[in-house]
Amino acid sequence: MVLTGALIVILTLFAIAKRYETRMVLCAAGLLMAAIGGNPLGAMTAFEKTMVNSGLVTTICTVMGFSFVMKYTQCDANLVHLLAGGLEKCRIILIPGAILITWILNIALSSTAGTCAAVGAVLIPTMIRSGIHPAMAGACILTACISNPLNPGFPHAIFIANLAQIDTMEVISGYTIPLLIVSTIILITMTIQSILRKEGVNKEHIHQTTHEVNTPVLKINPIKAAIPIIPLIILVLAIPQVAILPKISIPQAMIIGTLLGFIVHRKNPQDITKEFFNGLGNAYGSIIGIIVAAGVFTYGMESIGLTTALIDLMKNSQDLAKYAASIGPAGIAIISGSGDAAALAFNGAVTPHAQVFGMTITDLGSLSTLSGTLGRAMSPVAGGTIICATLAGVNPIDIVKRTAPGLLISLIALLIMFSIH
């Protein structure tokens, strides 16, 4: 049965890479393995239990509801324009500055595709008008979108926290330094590439591209611009290491941010309410749905004996677990354009047994999660890549050629850091 399970898993990953519907593929594979293992009803029970996991559902849904309100009230757009405003005046630091600003905004906006759309629509035209090669401009925005794991509503951090039975902020603080290091590597490598390729600020590019793009104009409201980051500030001030504020949950912080969005917008409260609940529904369908499907897939692997076989194999080599956690999710993310499915499947099946491999649940889960995040930024079929390529007027492959070198170096650095952790 183990060999049959291995074949099903390989076919599952192939189907995900071919961009078949992720939830359908994971559920179908999980049910099939559970049926072969003799307990198809158990897979349905796993589906049911994950659906009502309070730690996952309440946090992820309120974060997405807050995100929808920020978009509707244009608070996120005000924040983007405020931070981007000074860059065009300082062209010498345009590339590292654009990467840094996008990196910061990706924490607040969370969604990679959303960040590429919101930030890219402003910064990519600005960079091109300043003489930066269009493909390099798009690559700078895409490669900076690896910071969303620092958002308290990041689904993988919440998932790992549930596995380890610890606070989500503790998981995030555990991988913050590795993520800062790989982000620094990316910033440096992208800057060096722009110099070696002669794709930085170049007067020859200005005349070729100025007429092709336009930056949207928005009258900046500083108060609105501050709202998207207030929940993040509240959560940081409430962690035990800081303790300036009393302990507050992520859903509570997001609801506070949503209420502030109501106040600063000062109109259409009914529409804002609809947007908040639309965000809740979207989160459940798109994010919780994948987690539920991954739960069914994980149960199927356990039923057919594949999880036990993998653990026994990895017991003999701790390095094998680390390589699987880094190379596997990154590779699937590159092929499929999604860093979620492979990382969630790995974290559900293998990460709970991390101590057997000489690692903690948080370390193994974080390695898998960050690897999937890096892999997605190297994928020519990822939503963020396509958005950046469209805004820059180039082929997605041209974007990936420029993001891949720094991200591959970062992936190696990530593996080294978690190996000596």
Side-chain angles (χ1 to χ4, degrees), residues 198-235:
K198 297 181 180 179
E199 292 182 348
V201 175
N202 189 330
K203 292 181 180 179
E204 292 180 5
H205 294 148
I206 295 177
H207 301 294
Q208 298 170 8
T209 58
T210 300
H211 67 284
E212 298 174 3
V213 289
N214 291 293
T215 304
V217 177
L218 178 70
K219 185 178 180 180
I220 297 171
N221 182 329
I223 297 175
K224 280 191 173 185
I227 302 299
I229 63 173
I230 287 178
L232 305 180
I233 294 172
I234 290 173
L235 289 168

Side-chain angles (χ1 to χ4, degrees), residues 8-241:
I8 292 172
V9 170
I10 292 170
L11 292 173
T12 300
L13 296 177
F14 177 77
I16 291 172
K18 296 294 288 183
R19 300 178 70 79
Y20 286 98
E21 216 291 322
T22 301
R23 292 164 295 187
M24 178 196 72
V25 171
L26 290 175
C27 282
L31 282 168
L32 178 59
M33 287 188 286
I36 294 172
N39 193 7
L41 292 179
M44 298 177 190
T45 302
F47 186 100
E48 178 185 349
K49 286 182 178 179
T50 315
M51 282 181 68
V52 293
N53 187 315
S54 60
L56 294 173
V57 175
T58 57
T59 300
I60 293 171
C61 287
T62 51
V63 168
M64 190 63 79
F66 170 71
S67 176
F68 269 50
V69 170
M70 292 300 98
K71 183 177 181 180
Y72 176 79
T73 59
Q74 288 197 308
C75 289
D76 59 354
N78 276 270
L79 178 59
V80 171
H81 281 73
L82 179 65
L83 291 179
L87 271 185
E88 201 166 10
K89 299 175 183 177
C90 304
R91 292 183 177 180
I92 193 170
I93 61 164
L94 197 50
I95 284 180
I99 293 173
L100 183 59
I101 285 176
T102 306
W103 191 92
I104 293 170
L105 290 171
N106 189 227
I107 300 173
L109 302 180
S110 185
S111 164
T112 297
T115 302
C116 288
V119 181
V122 177
L123 286 185
I124 290 176
T126 299
M127 296 171 78
I128 294 174
R129 274 203 310 270
S130 299
I132 291 173
H133 190 281
M136 180 58 68
C140 287
I141 303 305
L142 177 64
T143 198
C145 290
I146 61 162
S147 59
N148 53 342
L150 296 178
N151 187 297
F154 187 58
H156 294 274
I158 299 165
F159 190 80
I160 296 166
N162 271 266
L163 290 177
Q165 295 296 298
I166 59 176
D167 186 72
T168 302
M169 295 303 290
E170 189 174 340
V171 174
I172 292 173
S173 64
Y175 60 59
T176 295
I177 291 178
L179 185 56
L180 288 172
I181 291 172
V182 299
S183 298
T184 302
I185 291 171
I186 288 169
L187 188 148
I188 293 170
T189 53
M190 287 299 294
T191 304
I192 292 173
Q193 273 198 92
S194 70
I195 296 170
L196 295 178
R197 287 176 172 268
K198 297 181 180 179
E199 292 182 348
V201 175
N202 189 330
K203 292 181 180 179
E204 292 180 5
H205 294 148
I206 295 177
H207 301 294
Q208 298 170 8
T209 58
T210 300
H211 67 284
E212 298 174 3
V213 289
N214 291 293
T215 304
V217 177
L218 178 70
K219 185 178 180 180
I220 297 171
N221 182 329
I223 297 175
K224 280 191 173 185
I227 302 299
I229 63 173
I230 287 178
L232 305 180
I233 294 172
I234 290 173
L235 289 168
V236 170
L237 295 179
I239 62 175
Q241 295 90 331

Side-chain angles (χ1 to χ4, degrees), residues 376-396:
R376 182 183 58 222
M378 288 186 276
S379 172
V381 295
T385 308
I386 294 169
I387 290 169
C388 287
T390 302
L391 290 170
V394 298
N395 190 294

